[in-house]
Amino acid sequence: MKATFGLSFLSLAAALDFQWSYEGQQYWATEVNRIDKSDDTLGLSSHIGHEGLGYFKVGNVDWPQFCRSVTSDEYEPGAYVVASISGQLVIAKAYNVMPDPAQAFMTGVVPACNDSYKPFSGNGIPVPPAAGGDGPLAGLRFAVKDLYHVKGIETFAGSRAYGASYPPQNHTSGMVRKTLAGGATMVGKVKTTQFALTTTRNGWEVDFHDPFNSRGDGYLSTAGSSSGPGSAMVAYDWLDFAIGSDTGGSVRYPANHGGIFGYRPSQNYYDLAGVVPCVLSLDTPGFFARSPEVFKKVFDVWSAGTELALDKVALPSKLMYWAEQVPLEQEEAQNMLTGFFSKIESTFNMTSVTTNLTEVWMENAVNQSLNDYYNTVYGDMNSRESWDLIGVPLFQAYGELTAGAAPPVDPATNITWTSGQNETIRVRYDEALRRGQQFREFYSEHVMPHNADTCTDSIIAFTYHGDTPENRVDLVPFATTGGWYSALPGSYAGAPEIIVPIGQVPYWSKFTLRTEYRPLSAAFQAARGCDAVLFKFVEEMAKAGLISEVKTGRLAFPQ
């Protein structure tokens, strides 16, 4: 084993960093305390070996080397090294340095001073042990989509020009702070499609390429825009959950494609301060997990102190299906989905009802199809808001930095911002907002009304599973996001949705030239404000053995 020493800087004082390897694993530690040897009440100096480092742990740490356990209120749970330097003992908190083969991360982060962070200067992601601690999320590690500001860290939002135009952030976004207050540990920031516009575009990106989806042949699409959080959750068992965001499906589609749990909350209940916007009237934070238990834990922390934390939670008696959902072409997938829903109905004594959303809309709102009436609505809102809220200030900031140059952006961003300056689209914007609110009111009255006993009158069951596997290689035409598609009812309604992995089905890979497996997931939706019912549903499904934790790598459910 070899220990190497280097200098980094924390505030105005020099802080020592340590790097070493042990049995092929890379480690890194950064100084958290420095004491005189005479103050060594824990006897740390007696365990310093010939290589110059001593090792100890606080709490439940199962790393090799860190065998000596110390009980101390001075150090939070974790792994530590100690070195004797210039007559003093330097104590440093230790991290595993983990590789990022899925290319999901923008940067690893480590705590600095005054509740800020600093980017990890080495190669890889610094990951502390799951050592326990205070709070319901203690011992859990998470990553955050690079739309969320983190104090001391640059926000890129998928754009090098954006990252270059603004200094490291001076505050941390509210939902990240709430997650940290729950006891979880942040290990890094992960990728997003540029400014969360559209899904992944397979090579059209100017600055940062799409991360990899480790399922199947390794070349399935991650979907977007929360491509980084989805990719990381599928790839790394040292990550317990990840924070993303959802406007028109940006948590739901990556969760579906990766076979992981995903949550799009009721809109306008959680703090979005310190998050780069997409469409303000539709934006929500969200998160991913691999286990139903962690999924529920994070929700309990997020919902605490909000109207979403219900005192009494009961499941409704109705499971609703969309008449418009066409059966899946793959018989095995359709049978698995139908069988899963049937088990839910019998396990929880739920009655099935089928609703034709288009017919209900035309009978009670406007005698025009949803596809026609909402054809330009999402695109109009997205284009104008992205240009006004991101494009205009970025052009000014980048221009000042570069003597008037325009910021290079992805083709999808360019066409969106061009549309955002189009006078016809700008004039239609107010009408687009009105139609969005019109759908929300219609939906809550005629489709998903509230219930005094169960909050939501029913739970809608469906899937985002596509008949054709999407891959990360075939070029996807770039355009503004618009039209009418399956994620938009939940978005316009401001309703909560969860994605639940239920199995996997075979497909033929044109890359590996063999049969591979891709996930199959179910989606569930409740009335706006009834998120707790969905998580009660998750809890009960797990107790009944209907859902379980998924694994990382090629197979969500090892065979």
Side-chain angles (χ1 to χ4, degrees), residues 479-491:
T480 56
T481 301
W484 180 260
Y485 58 94
S486 56
L488 287 183
S491 294

Side-chain angles (χ1 to χ4, degrees), residues 7 30 66 68-69 77 115 167 213-214 222 357 404 434 477 497 558:
L7 284 175
T30 188
F66 297 87
R68 185 185 180 218
S69 182
D115 296 321
N213 181 349
S214 300
T222 59
L357 179 60
R434 187 196 70 79
E497 284 187 26

Side-chain angles (χ1 to χ4, degrees), residues 190-267:
V190 282
K191 289 179 179 177
T192 175
T193 62
Q194 194 168 87
F195 306 121
L197 297 174
T198 77
T199 188
T200 48
R201 291 297 173 186
N202 297 1
W204 287 113
E205 293 81 358
V206 171
D207 293 326
F208 303 108
H209 286 175
D210 302 332
F212 284 84
N213 181 349
S214 300
R215 299 296 189 213
D217 57 17
Y219 286 87
L220 294 168
S221 172
T222 59
S225 63
S226 299
S227 52
S231 168
M233 287 306 303
V234 168
Y236 307 131
D237 56 11
W238 43 261
L239 199 66
D240 300 293
F241 66 96
I243 295 178
S245 65
D246 190 302
T247 304
S250 293
V251 164
R252 291 165 284 173
Y253 286 114
N256 177 77
H257 283 44
I260 51 180
F261 294 87
Y263 169 46
R264 175 204 158 87
S266 293
Q267 205 271 335

Side-chain angles (χ1 to χ4, degrees), residues 286-321:
F287 57 78
F288 304 83
R290 285 187 304 276
S291 90
E293 291 77 19
V294 171
F295 198 46
K296 175 68 162 55
K297 281 183 179 181
V298 180
F299 171 73
D300 288 344
V301 168
W302 275 33
S303 62
T306 74
E307 295 178 23
L308 297 179
L310 303 180
D311 293 331
K312 185 181 94 171
V313 182
L315 297 181
S317 61
K318 291 187 291 186
L319 195 65
M320 182 189 297
Y321 303 100

Side-chain angles (χ1 to χ4, degrees), residues 215-220 330 332 465-471 474 504-519 554:
R215 299 296 189 213
D217 57 17
Y219 286 87
L220 294 168
Q330 186 178 17
E332 182 175 346
H465 187 81
D467 289 316
T468 303
E470 297 176 29
N471 65 64
D474 296 338
Q504 56 204 8
V505 292
Y507 72 99
W508 179 257
S509 168
K510 67 179 183 180
F511 302 106
T512 61
L513 301 182
R514 68 178 186 182
T515 297
E516 303 281 2
Y517 288 84
R518 64 183 179 122
R554 290 180 56 247

Side-chain angles (χ1 to χ4, degrees), residues 41-108:
T41 57
L42 298 176
L44 302 177
S45 59
S46 64
H47 293 273
I48 297 176
H50 67 275
E51 76 281 359
L53 291 178
Y55 309 91
F56 70 95
K57 62 183 179 180
V58 178
N60 183 23
V61 177
D62 60 0
W63 289 358
Q65 290 183 285
F66 297 87
C67 301
R68 185 185 180 218
S69 182
V70 169
T71 301
S72 173
D73 293 333
E74 187 173 358
Y75 302 105
E76 63 183 18
Y80 294 86
V81 297
V82 57
S84 177
I85 299 176
S86 301
Q88 291 185 305
L89 295 180
V90 174
I91 295 92
K93 189 170 185 179
Y95 299 80
N96 270 339
V97 180
M98 304 303 294
D100 179 26
Q103 300 177 25
F105 278 81
M106 291 294 295
T107 184

